[in-house]
Amino acid sequence: QVELVEFGGGLVQAGGSLRLSCAASGRTSSSYAMGWFRQAPGKEREFVAIIGWGSITTYYTDSVKGRFIISRDNAKNTVYLQMNSLKPEDTAVYYCAAGRSATPGGMDYWGKGTLVTVSS
């Protein structure tokens, strides 16, 4: 079992930046891919970004490409999501996930989420 806890959510103005962190504990595995997903009010949860264990492989949903950067520190069992040029439509609960496959459908473990609110 892997436990994931997200940090760093909050309120930010449009155009601003925010960095989310996700700390993994429990039965951590250095082979896990890590990802970020989000769920906006009234919408389904959607994929945001994924990073493979070696940080060589990264994938982003089109709407965040060029604005968000996913990274990880395996020594700290932590994954980050740097969010720049934030837009009101980025407002959502952001979830951290871990899994054995670096694909949106390959996540096995989930955090409880952290709320990001972008004001216009």
Side-chain angles (χ1 to χ4, degrees):
Q1 188 71 18
V2 176
E3 291 76 45
L4 303 170
V5 180
E6 302 93 341
F7 300 92
L11 174 64
V12 63
Q13 288 188 332
S17 297
L18 208 58
R19 188 173 87 151
L20 304 182
S21 302
C22 171
S25 61
R27 187 181 175 185
T28 56
S29 169
S30 60
S31 64
Y32 281 147
M34 302 289 291
W36 288 96
F37 295 71
R38 66 186 180 186
Q39 186 168 18
K43 296 186 177 181
E44 294 186 353
R45 186 163 59 188
E46 65 172 355
F47 158 73
V48 176
I50 278 180
I51 186 167
W53 173 79
S55 300
I56 296 175
T57 302
T58 57
Y59 300 107
Y60 298 91
T61 192
D62 287 345
S63 62
V64 308
K65 286 180 180 177
R67 299 190 298 122
F68 290 12
I69 300 172
I70 188 170
S71 62
R72 65 190 295 167
D73 184 336
N74 289 333
K76 297 181 179 179
N77 291 319
T78 301
V79 63
Y80 306 95
L81 185 68
Q82 178 66 44
M83 305 185 294
N84 302 317
S85 302
L86 282 161
K87 304 175 181 180
E89 50 264 42
D90 294 318
T91 294
V93 176
Y94 283 71
Y95 297 91
C96 175
R100 286 164 286 183
S101 175
T103 60
M107 299 292 106
D108 300 309
Y109 303 100
W110 297 86
K112 293 183 179 181
T114 185
L115 177 62
V116 172
T117 303
V118 184
S119 62
S120 58

